């Protein structure tokens, strides 16, 4: 059996001690394709390094709503750096994870929306799909998706909340959907 793990974070420091052993172990167990997803500039850089080292690993680059900086200026700077990363590797298969998270961060909704919209525009510019993280922000997520019209489909709703309207709309927009242990929160 061959498995494709569409979302993992092997750049995480908890794998620093034995990352190579774990990666070869999961490959031998049948995970023959894997996407190591970035969620900040630093993690995107590290995920690219990992993908460049392993044929079976691909990566995404993005700044998640929980990792955006505090000001518009810093965000602009980070988005520029993110765009610069895209030309550094052919293993980058999507922009993500990006989205909205009002569960962990309620105070910076406007900046979250800006970061989300601008990264969808970036994905559209480079013809890449997006990987979405959304939590307690279903309406705003849908509004932004309808307005920005992600160009490459399907993208992926990562850890999708169990909300029937969201699921219906996400499918209508042409997304793949993944559920996980926090999907019901
Ligand atoms: Zn993730």
């Amino acid at each position: 059996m061959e498995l494709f793990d569409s979302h993992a974070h092997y750049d995480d420091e908890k794998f620093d001690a034995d990352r190579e052993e774990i990666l070869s172990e999961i490959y031998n167990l049948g995970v023959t394709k894997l996407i190591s997803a970035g969620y900040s500039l630093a993690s995107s850089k590290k995920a690219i390094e990992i993908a460049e080292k392993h044929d079976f690993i691909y990566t995404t680059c993005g700044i998640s709503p929980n990792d955006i900086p505090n000001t518009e200026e810093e965000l602009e700077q980070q988005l520029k750096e993110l765009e610069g990363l895209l030309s550094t590797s052919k293993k980058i298969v999507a922009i993500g994870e990006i989205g909205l998270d009002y569960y962990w961060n309620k105070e910076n909704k406007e900046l979250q929306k800006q970061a989300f919209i601008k990264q969808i525009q970036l994905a559209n510019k480079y013809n890449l799909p997006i990987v979405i993280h959304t939590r307690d922000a279903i309406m705003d997520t849908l509004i932004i998706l309808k307005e920005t019209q992600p160009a490459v489909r399907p993208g992926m709703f990562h850890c999708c909340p169990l909300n029937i309207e969201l699921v219906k709309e996400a499918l209508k927009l042409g997304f793949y959907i993944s559920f996980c242990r926090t999907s019901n929160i």
Side-chain angles (χ1 to χ4, degrees), residues 7-9 37-39 64 97 131 133 158-159:
H7 196 99
H9 294 291
Y39 50 85
S64 91
E97 53 189 280
V131 176
H133 167 112
H158 152 61
C159 195

Side-chain angles (χ1 to χ4, degrees), residues 25-151:
E25 197 178 326
I26 59 164
Y27 182 82
N28 291 328
L29 286 169
V31 180
T32 56
K33 290 271 185 294
L34 165 77
I35 294 176
S36 195
Y39 50 85
S40 66
L41 264 185
S43 88
S44 297
K45 286 178 193 166
K46 208 164 161 190
I48 292 172
E49 270 173 42
I50 295 167
E52 284 293 314
K53 263 210 245 169
H54 299 273
D55 276 353
F56 79 108
I57 299 180
Y58 297 84
T59 182
T60 72
C61 286
I63 304 166
S64 91
N66 298 320
D67 292 272
I68 59 169
N70 296 324
T71 66
E72 249 174 78
E73 294 70 35
E74 286 171 289
L75 177 63
E76 283 306 322
Q77 186 51 43
Q78 290 203 6
L79 291 174
K80 251 188 228 151
E81 272 195 63
L82 186 72
E83 186 166 2
L85 285 182
L86 299 180
S87 58
T88 64
S89 170
K90 293 204 169 11
K91 306 290 289 287
I92 300 166
V93 292
I95 298 291
E97 53 189 280
I98 58 173
L100 302 172
D101 193 324
Y102 300 163
Y103 177 81
W104 289 113
N105 294 296
K106 286 185 188 59
E107 307 72 29
N108 63 351
K109 288 184 179 178
E110 287 311 310
L111 205 59
Q112 287 194 42
K113 287 188 208 172
Q114 256 191 55
F116 188 26
I117 291 168
K118 287 188 170 160
Q119 290 182 97
I120 295 173
Q121 289 165 346
L122 191 65
N124 288 348
K125 180 172 167 187
Y126 287 88
N127 229 15
L128 289 166
I130 56 173
V131 176
I132 299 174
H133 167 112
T134 181
R135 197 165 180 191
D136 281 6
I138 290 168
M139 277 317 293
D140 282 352
T141 302
L142 287 177
I143 289 167
I144 287 175
L145 287 176
K146 283 180 183 169
E147 277 173 4
T148 53
Q149 292 291 323

Side-chain angles (χ1 to χ4, degrees), residues 6-26:
S6 66
H7 196 99
H9 294 291
Y10 285 107
D11 60 284
D12 195 290
E13 63 186 19
K14 62 174 168 275
F15 297 111
D16 280 354
D18 55 2
R19 181 175 294 107
E20 294 307 314
E21 288 91 313
I22 288 179
L23 290 176
S24 67
E25 197 178 326
I26 59 164

